[in-house]
Amino acid sequence: DTAVSQTPKYLVTQMGNDKSIKCEQNLGHDTMYWYKQDSKKFLKIMFSYNNKELIINETVPNRFSPKSPDKAHLNLHINSLELGDSAVYFCASSQSGRLNTEAFFGQGTRLTVV
Amino acid sequence: AQSVTQLGSHVSVSEGALVLLRCNYSSSVPPYLFWYVQYPNQGLQLLLKYTSAATLVKGINGFEAEFKKSETSFHLTKPSAHMSDAAEYFCAVSGQRGAQKLVFGQGTRLTINP
């Protein structure tokens, strides 16, 4: 069984469109994240949710809106897509309460804006 | 603020040779350190983590890392490289109180020569 699953795996869309990426984890974790990996492979956190509450928002444009309907799901909606949004987006989850606990990552969603 | 620097964006070794991937960190609080591996078109997989229980940490696939506080380093090693080790390797630090947030280095691409 996949621990952290994202859909879709690939997403090609035109500038100006609105798109969503879905993420689900079956690990029973209470914290979920979105990370962005750019074309140079650099990974940076975008958002973090703990028990459906937003706890980290790393100065991401307002066009990006995460939504967590429950602890097991964290979706990412992007409005008015721009060329610079092209990247690989990773969902991850972990269990809070211990700073040394590792995050488990999904397979990533490669977003290409044309 | 926390940061990670990985020395060498690309490391190339021969099969059977020693692998050494360098990671230096900066943290104002006691750090928790991680090494992740990313195979092509896949998500990140945890190799090992430093949790302050022991300075020499053993991970999966024969990798290990040593935490050296005096040098603010957490270098990753493997005695004998295998072709299957070819991948992108990321060092990451966390430790921000109240939130789990991984700060990644820029990654090191490991190439194995036959």
Side-chain angles (χ1 to χ4, degrees):
Chain A
D1 278 348
T2 303
V4 181
S5 59
Q6 300 177 225
T7 54
K9 189 170 183 179
Y10 299 96
L11 186 53
V12 180
T13 187
Q14 291 186 326
M15 283 176 56
N17 284 350
D18 303 339
K19 290 294 179 185
S20 292
I21 306 172
K22 295 186 176 182
C23 179
E24 176 182 6
Q25 56 94 4
N26 62 6
L27 297 167
H29 291 160
D30 60 0
T31 305
M32 296 185 72
Y33 314 81
W34 280 109
Y35 282 84
K36 179 180 179 180
Q37 185 175 46
D38 63 22
S39 59
K40 295 184 178 180
K41 299 282 189 177
F42 184 65
L43 277 153
K44 187 176 180 183
I45 192 167
M46 300 172 68
F47 301 104
S48 173
Y49 269 75
N50 177 263
N51 282 317
K52 303 193 297 176
E53 180 184 352
L54 180 66
I55 55 174
I56 293 176
N57 182 340
E58 288 286 301
T59 60
V60 178
N62 292 339
R63 299 182 295 102
F64 290 79
S65 54
K67 283 186 172 53
S68 181
D70 56 56
K71 285 195 315 182
H73 296 83
L74 180 61
N75 304 322
L76 183 64
H77 188 75
I78 315 170
N79 290 325
S80 303
L81 278 154
E82 300 177 357
L83 292 176
D85 298 331
S86 296
V88 181
Y89 293 85
F90 286 100
C91 177
S93 72
S94 68
Q95 186 60 34
S96 67
R98 296 171 60 184
L99 290 171
N100 62 355
T101 188
E102 67 266 31
F104 290 78
F105 286 79
Q107 296 290 295
T109 296
R110 182 176 295 276
L111 172 65
T112 304
V113 183
V114 297
Chain B
Q2 297 174 306
S3 66
V4 171
T5 301
Q6 291 182 239
L7 297 175
S9 59
H10 188 198
V11 171
S12 182
V13 303
S14 298
E15 189 173 19
L18 171 71
V19 175
L20 171 60
L21 304 183
R22 299 178 187 273
C23 172
N24 287 89
Y25 70 90
S26 173
S27 178
S28 57
V29 297
Y32 296 96
L33 295 157
F34 306 82
W35 274 100
Y36 282 86
V37 61
Q38 183 180 24
Y39 297 103
N41 298 315
Q42 296 201 17
L44 282 79
Q45 179 183 2
L46 181 73
L47 273 178
L48 49 80
K49 65 179 181 181
Y50 167 69
T51 62
S52 74
T55 56
L56 183 61
V57 182
K58 293 189 184 298
I60 62 171
N61 302 337
F63 284 94
E64 63 182 35
E66 186 172 9
F67 173 72
K68 291 186 177 180
K69 185 177 179 180
S70 61
E71 299 178 8
T72 60
S73 68
F74 190 56
H75 301 332
L76 182 71
T77 60
K78 182 174 180 177
S80 177
H82 191 271
M83 295 299 291
S84 60
D85 295 327
E88 193 88 23
Y89 291 79
F90 294 93
C91 182
V93 63
S94 77
Q96 179 179 333
R97 296 195 67 81
Q100 289 170 298
K101 168 182 152 180
L102 287 172
V103 175
F104 285 90
Q106 65 271 45
T108 298
R109 176 174 295 180
L110 177 63
T111 302
I112 312 297
N113 302 314

